[in-house]
Amino acid sequence: MCDGKLTRGSMVASLTALSATPALAQAIPAGSGWNDDLVTGNRILADQEILDGFGHLSMRSQTNPTRFWMSRSMAPALVTAADIMEFDLDGNAVDPRGRAVFLERFIHSEIYKSRPDVNAVVHAHTAAMIPFGVSATPLRPLIHVAGFLGETVPIFEIRDVAGDATDLLVRNAQLGAALARSLGAHPVALMRGHGYVAVASSVRQCVYRAIYTVVNAQAEAEALRLGTVKFLTPGEAKSTAATMAPLVDRPWDLWKTQALGER
Ligand code: MN
């Protein structure tokens, strides 16, 4: 029972909780090849309900393009700077120190290997995406903020690579490479019965794409219930993508404040 009285113990507990709150309190070693956006992006994607207990965000090293950074295996909402680990493009942790790593890190390693233009990758299981990976209805852009989706969104069918013997997880380099082939030059690929990946040249752009892909999927599912849907034309998709790409810092600042309570 709480009687509202402040004891020394409760004050210490409150202060401890307060000092542990800022996600970015720990300094990132200079020249380490990653920045605050990686931790912030994890918090944003959790706060926006794109990632739940599962899923992950990574960024390519800014100092060594054959390395990337992501958190140890944990819920994205809880990631701090101390949890960030370095990986090579075969999915090996460079300095594991006994920390658990994500089974599906090969999603990231194989995409970085095949896409020199990609510097950030999100993998998520967001429920709104699932119908478009398992049905005959294609995911296509119908709002201006999702023009980056282009004309088609590919679907990775793991059965084409490994039959029915998998648990649908991309748990080795062979499956990661097959996913990267399905993704091709696209910004987003659906993963049948599992989720999706979004990629971009920066963490902020990647978070934007991960979020607005889900917003588009939700809007498309709603629109299809009403009848015939007008999608963006290829020209509109291209123009809207070009207009929105330089503007990602605006929603990023909002999402960051909502997720962290700080700027
Ligand atoms: Mn997964």
Side-chain angles (χ1 to χ4, degrees), residues 2 12 19 21 49 64-65 81-82 92 111 135 142 147 149 159 162 176 183 189 193 200 202 232 239 247-248 253:
C2 178
V12 169
S19 65
T21 299
E49 300 184 337
N64 180 350
N92 301 308
I111 289 174
S135 71
L142 47 63
L149 289 173
R159 278 181 212 157
L183 176 68
S202 71
L232 300 188
S239 302
L247 302 179
V248 297
D253 287 343

Side-chain angles (χ1 to χ4, degrees), residues 54-56 104 107 123-125 168-170 191 194-196:
F54 300 105
H56 14 88
E104 294 195 290
I107 292 171
H123 165 57
H125 302 160
L168 277 74
L169 300 188
V170 179
M191 300 162 73
H194 182 170
Y196 71 109

